[in-house]
Structures are given as C-alpha cells and as structure tokens.
Amino acid sequence: GGFRRPCKFLCLALKMLQLGPEKDIVLQFFLRQADFKYVRVLGAFYWRLVGHPAAEVYKELEPLLTDYRKIRVQRADESYQMTYVDELVDQLLSEDDFMDTKLPRLTARHVLVDIGELGKRESMLEDELAEESGADAATPPAEEDGGPGPQEGTVEYWNAMRAKLGLKPLQQ
C-alpha cells in the first residue's frame, strides 16, 4: 500500500528493541504479570521477535493461550477490531507475520517434541473429558444401535464429545 503511520503498539515494540531489556525483566514485568493485557501482548510480541531459542518461546508464550481477555487491535486501514489475547498469541506461535512485521522463523512445535526439548501439549478439554467420563474419555461414543461411533476428528465425533460435557454442538 501507500504511506501508513505505524500504530502505537509497533512504536512501543521498536522502543523495546532499542532499549533491549534483560530476559528476566521481559519475563517478569511483561509476560508473567496478569494485570495489564496490552503490556502482556507487547511482551509476547517482543519475546517472539527477538528470536530466543524456539523451545523458550513456546514455554513462555503457551501459558498465554489461556488468557481469554478481549483486546482492541488497530487494522491497516486505522479501524479497530476486537479480538482475544489467546488468538494473538496463537498467531505469534503459528504464523510468520504479525501486524505486517516479519517474524524470525520458529521451529515447529512437533519437531521440538520429537527431539525432546518440549513435552507434549496437554489440552484443557482432554482434562475435562477425563474428569467427566473417567478412563474412556478418549474413545468415541458408540451409536445407539451398538455399532461404532463417529470417526475421530469429524464434526459428529466432536459434537458427541461436547454433548457428554453438556456443551452446545458445533455449527456445521
């Protein structure tokens, strides 16, 4: 596009890059504090941008995937959009661009799990299913006629799992 002014968020990120705070300061005052959601997102962006080892990036940013607070993000056309902290952190972990900024390449998580630098990610939904259903939480529910249940990964499978938890079905 044409000439665009950077948003205040990117100006703050640039100032952090200029200051180059120590690792402990970024972790303690930006990522691990829970009071200021915009400061937390700024810390996550900085942490992802400076290119620490990939395992450290995942270890520090994955806990932020449980932060479901709403935040306002400025678009390229200077309008605003509502989103959530966990969605932005997921973008930081899975995409190469964030706010028109190219991010350093990040080793895929499954590769780090395979070489033993990270443990397997535990889903909060799996924990709830295990509590609700006991040991058979990983098996799909059977059809009423006694036949096999829906194939794992299908919408029917997840709707059956959500029904066991008392949740609304997914939209098809």
Side-chain angles (χ1 to χ4, degrees):
F3 176 74
R4 291 189 300 186
R5 293 180 340 165
C7 63
K8 294 177 183 177
F9 180 85
L10 288 178
C11 291
L12 288 171
L14 175 63
K15 186 56 77 174
M16 282 186 71
L17 288 169
Q18 290 172 341
L19 292 173
E22 292 184 26
K23 174 181 168 180
D24 296 335
I25 291 173
V26 175
L27 291 176
Q28 202 61 29
F29 294 108
F30 287 89
L31 288 175
R32 293 184 184 152
Q33 64 81 26
D35 296 330
F36 304 105
K37 55 190 172 184
Y38 291 101
V39 173
R40 197 173 218 191
V41 171
L42 179 64
F45 178 62
Y46 177 80
W47 192 256
R48 174 67 173 84
L49 194 59
V50 294
H52 291 284
E56 270 189 54
V57 171
Y58 283 108
K59 284 178 187 174
E60 295 301 332
L61 294 187
E62 282 181 348
L64 302 182
L65 291 171
T66 60
D67 190 346
Y68 305 117
R69 294 180 288 181
K70 282 186 179 181
I71 58 172
R72 194 173 65 155
V73 176
Q74 188 175 5
R75 295 181 182 167
D77 64 357
E78 295 190 12
S79 64
Y80 290 93
Q81 163 188 347
M82 294 301 290
T83 188
Y84 298 89
V85 173
D86 65 314
E87 289 178 7
L88 290 181
V89 171
D90 185 54
Q91 285 178 4
L92 285 170
L93 291 174
S94 61
E95 297 178 11
D96 295 332
D97 291 349
F98 185 77
M99 296 189 159
D100 291 336
T101 304
K102 289 287 186 194
L103 298 170
R105 189 170 178 282
L106 190 64
T107 306
R109 191 181 198 292
H110 69 87
V111 172
L112 296 172
V113 170
D114 290 345
I115 63 174
E117 288 190 30
L118 284 177
K120 186 177 176 193
R121 183 186 299 177
E122 296 293 324
S123 170
M124 290 176 25
L125 185 57
E126 287 176 1
D127 293 342
E128 290 179 21
L129 285 172
E131 290 173 5
E132 181 73 23
S133 310
D136 64 346
T139 59
E143 296 289 327
E144 289 181 21
D145 63 357
Q151 184 176 3
E152 185 173 346
T154 63
V155 174
E156 292 81 19
Y157 173 82
W158 289 113
N159 281 340
M161 294 301 246
R162 290 175 66 89
K164 288 176 88 176
L165 291 172
L167 300 172
K168 295 188 316 187
L170 298 170
Q171 295 179 351
Q172 294 185 17

